[in-house]
Amino acid sequence: MISEQELERLESYLDGECAPEDEQALRRRLDAEPALAWELEQLRADRSARGTFFASLEADEETSARVFHNVRREIRRRQTRIVHWKRFCYGTAAAACVLAAFFAGAGWMGSSSRTGDVAASPEFKVEIRDERGRVMAVQKFDSLERAQEFSRDLEQWQQRQERLLNGDVTIHSDRF
Amino acid sequence: MAETTEELFEKAVAFHSRRLLAIARAIVGSHAAAEDVLQQAILNLYEHRSRYDWREPAGLLRRTVVNEALRTLRQPRMSLVADDQPGRSESPVGGMIGSETIETVRRAIDELPDHFRAALVLCEYEAMSYVQIAELLGASVPQVKTWLHRGRKQLADKLRKYMDGVKPKPTLDTQRYPQAHADDEDDESGGDPS
């Protein structure tokens, strides 16, 4: 009856993990000891059965194509989602330009209202436009400070979105 | 023109997917859907594709699939999933060894502990060294050797029981040994035949 240690040695030999000197010594023993050689053949036969089994697990062409198709579909779906995010972000990038342009006008309007028209209250608004210049949203404020604060918040949000799209951060929560 | 990362990625996946699915199937057995494991592993790599060199992706793909398979096995298991492994009769190598034996080997391997199974497929199917397997599985080399040894021993015991079960029982030639046949009848009836 072969010992566990001997069995492990034979397994290492079949795995190609024997040190060169150990392998030589084992080969000499295999030549001299039929019982040991027989055990090695048993291990080889078991290994062959397992090898046949593992080979039988390989995917056929149809399965391989299906997996590949599913992966590509999921990748396209994710890319579409990223495009939608980017379109929205381009819109917010334009917001700063709109606000800046408006500030120039607001200054003039503000001074007009201060000097002349007491009844009309100044209105400040921020327009969010997409990459084609179409207005996507309008936010109104009753003071320049509030409009500026909104613009700053929007800019910070836009920067976060860009970092997210570039893979620089990972979302753990949807709260900012 | 130089290929883009996406093109290299697709090429790598297409080339290696057959073997990768075999690895996933061998590791998860009937405890999870191997195709889902493979798909998730590939998608994980896609998310970070720009970080890797896709000209020699074999090791990376294998490592990712193995990790995803083991991660899936660590999740709480509700029930055995439908076996998406290839039909027994469809095996291209079925002619070399009976399909029933393949099925028996499959069941026996399925019953092994997860790490025994993973070590076995990486050693014998992927021909990885003990050091590589240890690194991939986060274990020591002696641990890998133990897993391999115990896994093989368990499989050998199961297969031996199976082979003993299918061997025909020796029967006595009743024409040659009529007396023995009469003795048998005596035993069955419990009475004296004479």
Side-chain angles (χ1 to χ4, degrees), chain B residues 11-76:
Chain B
K11 249 185 171 178
V13 169
F15 184 76
H16 292 279
S17 61
R18 294 183 70 176
R19 284 189 75 83
L20 292 174
L21 190 58
I23 294 172
R25 280 173 171 163
I27 294 179
V28 303
S30 56
H31 304 289
E35 283 188 36
D36 290 349
V37 166
L38 178 59
Q39 280 168 201
Q40 188 57 52
I42 293 172
L43 287 169
N44 291 346
L45 282 174
Y46 183 77
E47 291 285 340
H48 306 286
R49 61 196 180 282
S50 55
R51 295 185 193 174
Y52 306 112
D53 181 359
W54 290 101
R55 285 165 297 185
E56 291 187 22
L60 169 67
L61 286 165
R62 179 176 56 212
R63 192 165 62 244
T64 308
V65 168
V66 169
N67 287 335
E68 183 61 27
L70 291 174
R71 190 195 65 79
T72 301
L73 289 175
R74 282 196 291 270
Q75 289 172 351

Side-chain angles (χ1 to χ4, degrees), chain A residues 4 8 11 15 17 46-47 50 52-53 56-59 63-64 66 70 72 75 78-79, chain B residues 10 17-18 21 25 35 39 46-47 85-86 97 106 109 124-125 129-130 149 152-153 160:
Chain A
E4 292 293 318
E8 285 197 49
E11 286 170 6
D15 290 339
E17 292 278 346
D46 291 346
R47 193 184 182 98
R50 290 193 296 271
T52 301
F53 163 69
S56 76
L57 295 179
E58 287 189 12
T63 307
S64 200
R66 183 174 62 238
N70 289 344
R72 290 185 89 181
I75 287 171
R78 293 184 186 191
Q79 285 173 338
Chain B
E10 283 201 7
S17 61
R18 294 183 70 176
L21 190 58
R25 280 173 171 163
E35 283 188 36
Q39 280 168 201
Y46 183 77
E47 291 285 340
Q85 300 199 6
I97 189 167
R106 182 184 82 79
I109 288 180
E124 296 189 4
Y125 181 64
S129 69
Y130 292 169
H149 177 65
R152 286 161 173 159
K153 193 162 186 305
R160 224 141 273 152

Side-chain angles (χ1 to χ4, degrees), chain A residues 80-101:
Chain A
T80 304
R81 201 165 61 195
I82 289 174
V83 167
H84 289 156
W85 272 116
K86 281 190 173 174
R87 281 191 186 140
F88 188 65
C89 282
Y90 290 149
T92 61
C97 296
V98 172
L99 186 59

Side-chain angles (χ1 to χ4, degrees), chain A residues 109-147:
Chain A
M109 282 177 64
S111 57
S112 290
S113 66
R114 276 197 291 274
T115 55
D117 190 353
V118 181
S121 57
E123 188 179 82
F124 302 87
K125 58 181 181 182
V126 174
E127 290 179 345
I128 300 174
R129 296 171 183 266
D130 65 11
E131 64 271 24
R132 294 182 190 177
R134 292 176 300 186
V135 175
M136 293 168 63
V138 175
Q139 182 64 46
K140 295 180 183 178
F141 301 94
D142 57 4
S143 74
L144 183 59
E145 290 75 23
R146 284 191 185 177

Side-chain angles (χ1 to χ4, degrees), chain B residues 125-139:
Chain B
Y125 181 64
E126 286 289 287
M128 290 172 72
S129 69
Y130 292 169
V131 170
Q132 289 174 321
I133 297 170
E135 200 179 293
L136 182 47
L137 299 182

Side-chain angles (χ1 to χ4, degrees), chain B residues 156-169:
Chain B
D157 290 343
K158 285 180 202 289
L159 282 179
R160 224 141 273 152
K161 280 183 189 160
Y162 164 72
M163 293 308 286
D164 287 344
V166 298
K167 275 183 199 164
K169 270 175 87 173

